[in-house]
Amino acid sequence: MSGPGRRDVPLMRNYGNSLRGSRIAVAVTIGILLGCVFAVLFPHGFFGSDPPIQGRRITKSNVQVGSSPCESSERINMLKSEVVTVSEKNAGLKKQVQELTKKLRLAEQAKEDAENQIWALGEQHKAGPFGTVKGLRTNPTFLPDESVNPRLAKLLEKVAVRKELIVALANSNVKDMLEVWFTSIKKVGIPNYLVVALDDEIENLCKLNDVPVYKRDPDEGIDSIAKMGGNHAVSGLKFHILREFLQLGYSILLSDVDIVYLQNPFDYLYRDSDVESMSDGHNNMTAYGYNDVFDEPTMGWARYAHTMRIWVYNSGFFYIRPTSPSIELLDRVADRLSRKPDSWDQAVFNEELFFPSHPGYEGLHASRRTMDFYLFMNSKVLFKTVRKDSNLSKLMPVIVHLNYHPDKLPRMKAVVEFYVNGKQGALKPFPDGSN
């Protein structure tokens, strides 16, 4: 039993292997056939993919090959030309932007300057408690502009002290008074003063006496007034001439020549206003202002009208700072005097300073201060009051202006005798007023 069973086993193994090998061969054959069928039916793949890469490469290659070297060169040149055109446009736009930026910067600078003018009056702050708020009236000064008059600018650099000086205009008509004027200045020891000579005679006089002098360049519109004009004509001329001094950045103490100097006036200035002027007033009321009541009985209950009054500033002696309102004042007065030469410069000067804005008129927004009338004394105060008062006569004024009297030269000499040489009776021979 065992023998025949062991012989049958090898035959079965051979048969199984043969059968398995036949199946594999059949499967391989079927796979190959199916692959061929699919390759024929679906040449681009079973899932519909993009065209072969080879085809795309050929297409691009065909396009590139289709462009000749000449066409490529023309295309490049055209592109270069377009680049140049665009670059030129960009350059033009850039220039316009720079110009606009410059204009914007200038506008911003102007705005900043205006803001500085405003904020220069004080820091921005809230109102303080009752009684503590004080207004500021010191306007900022202009920046110097030496291009206005380079020759005068060089002279002022030598003469002025801390950008301040006394200035007087003179022609040969006031030669004798001018000598008393600059002699008193020298006696006091005031270094910063200047004579604006309106003719050759005054220029030579100043040079012979070592007096700082400035002779203006010829000006047909002014020379006739300067050389032949009387006191009022020359007085009106000063408003035109002073403008250059302010533009150059200097504060000016304008002085007529009928003035005797007894102390240095720069030691007594406040410098807190655009204009600081001596008064034609002769006491506290007239010099500093008062409430004057006007009576009109026909008005019954409202018969009394209160008015504010002040005696005028003297246009022959005032301190003026180089500010915007100051220059506007000079321009206004000079313009009015040029249109109406017969006008009195002192009246016009005060009208421009004090008249308020009203319909049809824009007032001048200038700050002003009245000088102490005992220190900056007019001749009415001296001859009507001071010389008759034992206490007031002991007071040493800064200046005495002989503005109220026509006999100016002898009174100027008498003032020198009284205050400088100590001659007590020097003022007695003169009447209070003019004969």
Side-chain angles (χ1 to χ4, degrees):
M1 287 289 298
S2 59
R6 285 193 295 272
R7 284 194 299 269
D8 291 339
V9 171
L11 290 173
M12 292 296 295
R13 288 177 180 170
N14 292 333
Y15 177 77
N17 291 335
S18 176
L19 183 59
R20 188 180 297 111
S22 298
R23 289 177 178 175
I24 291 172
V26 171
V28 169
T29 302
I30 292 172
I32 292 171
L33 291 175
L34 289 174
C36 292
V37 171
F38 279 109
V40 172
L41 295 177
F42 303 99
H44 301 300
F46 181 75
F47 297 100
S49 60
D50 294 335
I53 296 175
Q54 180 71 20
R56 290 202 300 272
R57 285 178 180 172
I58 292 172
T59 302
K60 287 184 179 182
S61 176
N62 290 339
V63 171
Q64 292 176 355
V65 170
S67 298
S68 66
C70 292
E71 292 177 350
S72 299
S73 177
E74 290 176 359
R75 179 63 176 169
I76 291 173
N77 291 335
M78 185 173 63
L79 291 174
K80 287 182 178 180
S81 177
E82 291 179 358
V83 169
V84 171
T85 303
V86 172
S87 299
E88 290 176 352
K89 289 182 179 180
N90 288 339
L93 291 174
K94 186 177 181 181
K95 185 176 181 181
Q96 292 180 6
V97 170
Q98 290 175 344
E99 291 177 354
L100 292 174
T101 303
K102 183 178 179 180
K103 291 181 179 179
L104 179 61
R105 191 183 302 114
L106 291 174
E108 291 176 346
Q109 182 64 44
K111 179 183 176 182
E112 183 178 352
D113 291 342
E115 290 175 347
N116 289 339
Q117 290 270 336
I118 295 173
W119 298 122
L121 301 177
E123 295 181 359
Q124 189 177 15
H125 55 274
K126 295 181 179 179
F130 179 82
T132 64
V133 177
K134 300 294 181 181
L136 300 176
R137 57 188 180 277
T138 307
N139 284 314
T141 58
F142 278 116
L143 291 175
D145 183 7
E146 294 186 359
S147 65
V148 171
N149 191 331
R151 184 168 67 90
L152 179 59
K154 291 181 180 179
L155 177 60
L156 295 181
E157 287 180 3
K158 299 177 182 178
V159 176
V161 175
R162 293 188 295 273
K163 306 288 284 187
E164 297 176 325
L165 73 157
I166 300 169
V167 174
L169 279 67
N171 60 18
S172 55
N173 292 334
V174 295
K175 176 182 176 181
D176 294 335
M177 286 191 292
L178 179 64
E179 290 188 75
V180 178
W181 180 85
F182 65 65
T183 300
S184 68
I185 287 179
K186 289 183 176 182
K187 182 71 175 179
V188 175
I190 303 171
N192 48 329
Y193 68 102
L194 178 69
V195 174
V196 178
L198 301 178
D199 55 40
D200 295 336
E201 186 176 355
I202 293 299
E203 181 181 22
N204 294 333
L205 174 67
C206 291
K207 290 180 178 179
L208 288 174
N209 289 275
D210 196 25
V211 172
V213 62
Y214 168 68
K215 182 72 161 47
R216 298 181 69 256
D217 293 331
D219 189 329
E220 293 181 0
I222 294 176
D223 284 351
S224 59
I225 298 176
K227 293 178 179 179
M228 297 178 292
N231 288 343
H232 285 311
V234 172
S235 186
L237 182 62
K238 65 194 173 193
F239 295 97
H240 178 84
I241 295 176
L242 276 182
R243 194 184 203 279
E244 289 185 348
F245 287 81
L246 298 192
Q247 285 182 277
L248 293 172
Y250 290 86
S251 296
I252 301 301
L253 185 56
L254 189 279
S255 173
D256 282 352
V257 297
D258 58 341
I259 293 176
V260 176
Y261 286 79
L262 302 169
Q263 298 188 67
N264 192 330
F266 294 106
D267 295 336
Y268 295 88
L269 297 176
Y270 285 81
R271 301 174 177 84
D272 63 348
S273 304
D274 297 306
V275 178
E276 198 167 340
S277 178
M278 72 171 294
S279 172
D280 272 3
H282 58 92
N283 54 29
N284 286 340
M285 288 178 58
T286 56
Y288 308 139
Y290 61 101
N291 182 2
D292 184 46
V293 180
F294 176 77
D295 184 12
E296 190 176 5
T298 58
M299 287 298 296
W301 175 82
R303 64 183 291 180
Y304 300 110
H306 291 257
T307 66
M308 301 306 300
R309 300 189 64 181
I310 186 174
W311 285 30
V312 296
Y313 282 175
N314 192 290
S315 63
F317 189 87
F318 60 88
Y319 177 79
I320 185 166
R321 298 172 60 245
T323 65
S324 178
S326 296
I327 292 182
E328 183 180 2
L329 171 64
L330 298 181
D331 289 349
R332 287 185 176 212
V333 176
D335 178 63
R336 285 184 57 181
L337 293 176
S338 67
R339 288 186 285 108
K340 294 184 178 181
D342 294 335
S343 301
W344 185 25
D345 69 284
Q346 182 161 292
V348 175
F349 176 70
N350 280 270
E351 288 171 2
E352 292 298 338
L353 267 178
F354 287 97
F355 281 177
S357 298
H358 56 261
Y361 176 77
E362 180 68 25
L364 180 72
H365 303 287
S367 57
R368 52 199 181 272
R369 168 182 282 274
T370 306
M371 294 176 172
D372 187 322
F373 69 91
Y374 282 127
L375 294 178
F376 299 90
M377 191 182 297
N378 61 58
S379 56
K380 180 176 182 177
V381 173
L382 175 61
F383 286 97
K384 185 177 179 179
T385 306
V386 171
R387 68 171 175 169
K388 302 174 184 179
D389 189 298
S390 59
N391 291 321
L392 291 176
S393 62
K394 295 177 183 177
L395 176 69
M396 178 63 76
V398 177
I399 61 117
V400 175
H401 189 179
L402 284 301
N403 61 313
Y404 269 100
H405 299 89
D407 51 338
K408 298 179 182 297
L409 184 59
R411 289 185 187 250
M412 289 179 71
K413 292 180 179 179
V415 168
V416 173
E417 289 295 325
F418 182 79
Y419 284 108
V420 178
N421 300 328
K423 187 177 179 179
Q424 296 302 309
L427 300 177
K428 290 182 179 180
F430 300 92
D432 289 353
S434 57
N435 293 326

